Short mmCIF file of all heavy atoms in Angstrom, two decimals:
data_model
loop_
_atom_site.label_atom_id
_atom_site.label_comp_id
_atom_site.label_asym_id
_atom_site.label_seq_id
_atom_site.Cartn_x
_atom_site.Cartn_y
_atom_site.Cartn_z
N ARG N 390 2.61 7.28 -20.26
CA ARG N 390 2.63 5.83 -20.56
C ARG N 390 3.26 5.03 -19.44
O ARG N 390 2.82 3.92 -19.11
CB ARG N 390 3.38 5.59 -21.88
CG ARG N 390 2.60 6.03 -23.11
CD ARG N 390 3.27 5.54 -24.39
NE ARG N 390 4.54 6.19 -24.63
CZ ARG N 390 4.66 7.30 -25.33
NH1 ARG N 390 3.62 7.90 -25.85
NH2 ARG N 390 5.86 7.84 -25.52
N ALA N 391 4.30 5.59 -18.81
CA ALA N 391 4.94 4.87 -17.71
C ALA N 391 3.99 4.69 -16.55
O ALA N 391 3.90 3.61 -15.95
CB ALA N 391 6.19 5.65 -17.27
N LEU N 392 3.25 5.74 -16.21
CA LEU N 392 2.31 5.67 -15.08
C LEU N 392 1.20 4.69 -15.36
O LEU N 392 0.85 3.84 -14.52
CB LEU N 392 1.74 7.08 -14.81
CG LEU N 392 0.85 7.21 -13.58
CD1 LEU N 392 1.63 6.97 -12.31
CD2 LEU N 392 0.20 8.59 -13.57
N LEU N 393 0.59 4.78 -16.54
CA LEU N 393 -0.52 3.88 -16.87
C LEU N 393 -0.05 2.45 -17.03
O LEU N 393 -0.80 1.51 -16.69
CB LEU N 393 -1.19 4.36 -18.16
CG LEU N 393 -2.12 5.58 -18.01
CD1 LEU N 393 -2.63 6.01 -19.37
CD2 LEU N 393 -3.27 5.24 -17.08
N ASP N 394 1.14 2.24 -17.53
CA ASP N 394 1.64 0.87 -17.67
C ASP N 394 1.72 0.21 -16.30
O ASP N 394 1.29 -0.94 -16.11
CB ASP N 394 3.01 0.87 -18.32
CG ASP N 394 3.59 -0.53 -18.44
OD1 ASP N 394 3.12 -1.29 -19.30
OD2 ASP N 394 4.50 -0.85 -17.66
N ALA N 395 2.31 0.91 -15.33
CA ALA N 395 2.37 0.34 -13.99
C ALA N 395 0.99 0.17 -13.40
O ALA N 395 0.70 -0.81 -12.70
CB ALA N 395 3.21 1.29 -13.09
N TYR N 396 0.12 1.10 -13.69
CA TYR N 396 -1.24 1.09 -13.12
C TYR N 396 -2.05 -0.13 -13.57
O TYR N 396 -2.64 -0.84 -12.75
CB TYR N 396 -1.97 2.37 -13.48
CG TYR N 396 -3.32 2.54 -12.80
CD1 TYR N 396 -3.40 2.60 -11.41
CD2 TYR N 396 -4.47 2.67 -13.55
CE1 TYR N 396 -4.62 2.76 -10.79
CE2 TYR N 396 -5.68 2.83 -12.93
CZ TYR N 396 -5.77 2.90 -11.56
OH TYR N 396 -6.98 3.05 -10.95
N VAL N 397 -2.07 -0.38 -14.88
CA VAL N 397 -2.88 -1.50 -15.37
C VAL N 397 -2.24 -2.84 -15.04
O VAL N 397 -2.94 -3.86 -15.03
CB VAL N 397 -3.13 -1.39 -16.90
CG1 VAL N 397 -3.91 -0.16 -17.22
CG2 VAL N 397 -1.82 -1.42 -17.68
N ARG N 398 -0.94 -2.87 -14.73
CA ARG N 398 -0.36 -4.14 -14.30
C ARG N 398 -0.66 -4.46 -12.85
O ARG N 398 -0.78 -5.64 -12.49
CB ARG N 398 1.19 -4.05 -14.47
CG ARG N 398 1.66 -4.06 -15.90
CD ARG N 398 3.16 -3.78 -15.99
NE ARG N 398 3.58 -3.77 -17.37
CZ ARG N 398 3.96 -4.83 -18.07
NH1 ARG N 398 3.97 -6.01 -17.48
NH2 ARG N 398 4.31 -4.72 -19.33
N VAL N 399 -0.76 -3.44 -12.01
CA VAL N 399 -0.89 -3.67 -10.57
C VAL N 399 -2.33 -3.68 -10.12
O VAL N 399 -2.74 -4.51 -9.29
CB VAL N 399 -0.11 -2.58 -9.79
CG1 VAL N 399 -0.34 -2.68 -8.30
CG2 VAL N 399 1.38 -2.71 -10.11
N ARG N 400 -3.17 -2.79 -10.65
CA ARG N 400 -4.54 -2.70 -10.19
C ARG N 400 -5.46 -3.63 -10.99
O ARG N 400 -5.12 -4.05 -12.10
CB ARG N 400 -5.03 -1.25 -10.30
CG ARG N 400 -4.14 -0.23 -9.63
CD ARG N 400 -4.04 -0.46 -8.12
NE ARG N 400 -5.23 -0.05 -7.43
CZ ARG N 400 -5.35 1.15 -6.81
NH1 ARG N 400 -4.36 2.02 -6.85
NH2 ARG N 400 -6.45 1.47 -6.19
N THR N 401 -6.60 -3.94 -10.42
CA THR N 401 -7.56 -4.79 -11.11
C THR N 401 -8.19 -4.02 -12.26
O THR N 401 -8.22 -2.78 -12.27
CB THR N 401 -8.65 -5.26 -10.16
OG1 THR N 401 -9.38 -4.13 -9.70
CG2 THR N 401 -8.05 -6.01 -8.98
N PRO N 402 -8.72 -4.71 -13.26
CA PRO N 402 -9.40 -4.01 -14.35
C PRO N 402 -10.53 -3.12 -13.86
O PRO N 402 -10.76 -2.05 -14.41
CB PRO N 402 -9.90 -5.16 -15.24
CG PRO N 402 -8.96 -6.29 -14.96
CD PRO N 402 -8.60 -6.17 -13.50
N GLU N 403 -11.28 -3.60 -12.83
CA GLU N 403 -12.39 -2.78 -12.32
C GLU N 403 -11.89 -1.46 -11.73
O GLU N 403 -12.50 -0.39 -11.96
CB GLU N 403 -13.17 -3.56 -11.29
CG GLU N 403 -13.95 -4.76 -11.81
CD GLU N 403 -13.06 -5.97 -12.07
OE1 GLU N 403 -11.90 -5.97 -11.61
OE2 GLU N 403 -13.53 -6.91 -12.73
N GLU N 404 -10.79 -1.53 -11.00
CA GLU N 404 -10.23 -0.30 -10.44
C GLU N 404 -9.69 0.60 -11.54
O GLU N 404 -9.85 1.83 -11.50
CB GLU N 404 -9.10 -0.65 -9.47
CG GLU N 404 -8.50 0.55 -8.77
CD GLU N 404 -9.42 1.26 -7.82
OE1 GLU N 404 -10.43 0.64 -7.40
OE2 GLU N 404 -9.19 2.44 -7.53
N ALA N 405 -9.06 0.01 -12.54
CA ALA N 405 -8.59 0.80 -13.67
C ALA N 405 -9.73 1.55 -14.34
O ALA N 405 -9.58 2.70 -14.72
CB ALA N 405 -7.86 -0.09 -14.66
N ALA N 406 -10.86 0.88 -14.47
CA ALA N 406 -12.00 1.51 -15.11
C ALA N 406 -12.50 2.73 -14.34
O ALA N 406 -12.99 3.70 -14.93
CB ALA N 406 -13.14 0.49 -15.29
N ARG N 407 -12.34 2.71 -13.01
CA ARG N 407 -12.81 3.84 -12.20
C ARG N 407 -11.95 5.10 -12.43
O ARG N 407 -12.38 6.18 -12.11
CB ARG N 407 -12.79 3.47 -10.74
CG ARG N 407 -13.76 2.35 -10.36
CD ARG N 407 -13.86 2.24 -8.86
NE ARG N 407 -14.49 0.95 -8.52
CZ ARG N 407 -13.90 -0.03 -7.87
NH1 ARG N 407 -12.66 0.11 -7.48
NH2 ARG N 407 -14.54 -1.15 -7.63
N SER N 408 -10.76 4.91 -12.93
CA SER N 408 -9.87 6.06 -13.10
C SER N 408 -10.28 7.00 -14.21
O SER N 408 -9.74 8.08 -14.34
CB SER N 408 -8.43 5.58 -13.32
OG SER N 408 -8.30 4.97 -14.60
N VAL N 409 -11.22 6.58 -15.06
CA VAL N 409 -11.55 7.38 -16.24
C VAL N 409 -12.75 8.27 -16.01
O VAL N 409 -13.16 9.01 -16.93
CB VAL N 409 -11.81 6.48 -17.47
CG1 VAL N 409 -10.65 5.53 -17.69
CG2 VAL N 409 -13.12 5.71 -17.33
N HIS N 410 -13.34 8.28 -14.83
CA HIS N 410 -14.60 8.98 -14.60
C HIS N 410 -14.52 10.46 -14.89
O HIS N 410 -15.49 11.06 -15.38
CB HIS N 410 -15.06 8.77 -13.15
CG HIS N 410 -15.77 7.46 -12.92
ND1 HIS N 410 -17.13 7.29 -13.16
CD2 HIS N 410 -15.31 6.24 -12.52
CE1 HIS N 410 -17.47 6.05 -12.89
NE2 HIS N 410 -16.39 5.39 -12.51
N ASP N 411 -13.39 11.11 -14.60
CA ASP N 411 -13.32 12.55 -14.73
C ASP N 411 -13.38 13.02 -16.18
O ASP N 411 -13.91 14.09 -16.47
CB ASP N 411 -12.03 13.08 -14.07
CG ASP N 411 -12.10 13.03 -12.57
OD1 ASP N 411 -13.20 12.82 -12.04
OD2 ASP N 411 -11.04 13.19 -11.92
N ASP N 412 -12.82 12.25 -17.09
CA ASP N 412 -12.81 12.64 -18.51
C ASP N 412 -12.69 11.40 -19.37
O ASP N 412 -11.61 11.08 -19.91
CB ASP N 412 -11.62 13.58 -18.77
CG ASP N 412 -11.71 14.27 -20.13
OD1 ASP N 412 -12.44 13.76 -20.99
OD2 ASP N 412 -11.04 15.29 -20.32
N PRO N 413 -13.78 10.65 -19.54
CA PRO N 413 -13.71 9.39 -20.30
C PRO N 413 -13.20 9.58 -21.71
O PRO N 413 -12.48 8.72 -22.23
CB PRO N 413 -15.17 8.90 -20.31
CG PRO N 413 -15.81 9.58 -19.12
CD PRO N 413 -15.13 10.90 -18.99
N GLY N 414 -13.56 10.70 -22.35
CA GLY N 414 -13.15 10.89 -23.72
C GLY N 414 -11.65 10.89 -23.89
O GLY N 414 -11.14 10.37 -24.90
N ARG N 415 -10.92 11.41 -22.95
CA ARG N 415 -9.45 11.46 -23.03
C ARG N 415 -8.80 10.24 -22.35
O ARG N 415 -7.76 9.75 -22.81
CB ARG N 415 -8.92 12.73 -22.37
CG ARG N 415 -9.32 13.99 -23.11
CD ARG N 415 -8.99 15.22 -22.29
NE ARG N 415 -7.55 15.35 -22.02
CZ ARG N 415 -7.04 16.21 -21.16
NH1 ARG N 415 -7.82 17.03 -20.48
NH2 ARG N 415 -5.72 16.28 -20.97
N LEU N 416 -9.40 9.77 -21.25
CA LEU N 416 -8.74 8.75 -20.45
C LEU N 416 -8.96 7.33 -20.96
O LEU N 416 -8.08 6.48 -20.86
CB LEU N 416 -9.20 8.86 -19.00
CG LEU N 416 -8.74 10.10 -18.25
CD1 LEU N 416 -9.41 10.20 -16.88
CD2 LEU N 416 -7.23 10.08 -18.07
N VAL N 417 -10.15 7.03 -21.51
CA VAL N 417 -10.43 5.67 -21.96
C VAL N 417 -9.44 5.21 -23.02
O VAL N 417 -8.86 4.11 -22.91
CB VAL N 417 -11.88 5.55 -22.45
CG1 VAL N 417 -12.07 4.23 -23.19
CG2 VAL N 417 -12.86 5.62 -21.26
N PRO N 418 -9.18 5.98 -24.09
CA PRO N 418 -8.20 5.50 -25.08
C PRO N 418 -6.81 5.27 -24.50
O PRO N 418 -6.12 4.32 -24.88
CB PRO N 418 -8.19 6.65 -26.12
CG PRO N 418 -9.50 7.34 -25.96
CD PRO N 418 -9.79 7.27 -24.49
N LEU N 419 -6.38 6.14 -23.60
CA LEU N 419 -5.06 5.99 -23.00
C LEU N 419 -5.00 4.72 -22.15
O LEU N 419 -4.02 3.97 -22.18
CB LEU N 419 -4.72 7.21 -22.14
CG LEU N 419 -4.53 8.53 -22.89
CD1 LEU N 419 -4.42 9.69 -21.90
CD2 LEU N 419 -3.29 8.46 -23.76
N LEU N 420 -6.05 4.47 -21.38
CA LEU N 420 -6.09 3.27 -20.54
C LEU N 420 -6.12 2.00 -21.38
O LEU N 420 -5.39 1.05 -21.09
CB LEU N 420 -7.32 3.34 -19.63
CG LEU N 420 -7.45 2.22 -18.61
CD1 LEU N 420 -6.35 2.31 -17.56
CD2 LEU N 420 -8.82 2.26 -17.91
N VAL N 421 -6.92 2.00 -22.42
CA VAL N 421 -7.02 0.83 -23.28
C VAL N 421 -5.67 0.54 -23.97
O VAL N 421 -5.27 -0.62 -24.07
CB VAL N 421 -8.14 1.02 -24.31
CG1 VAL N 421 -8.10 -0.07 -25.37
CG2 VAL N 421 -9.50 1.01 -23.62
#
Side-chain angles (χ1 to χ4, degrees):
R390 287 191 292 269
L392 185 66
L393 283 175
D394 178 75
Y396 187 61
V397 297
R398 289 173 182 273
V399 173
R400 306 298 284 263
T401 63
E403 292 78 12
E404 182 67 20
R407 295 191 195 114
S408 69
V409 307
H410 278 274
D411 288 348
D412 193 340
R415 294 170 61 191
L416 291 172
V417 167
L419 293 171
L420 184 67
V421 170

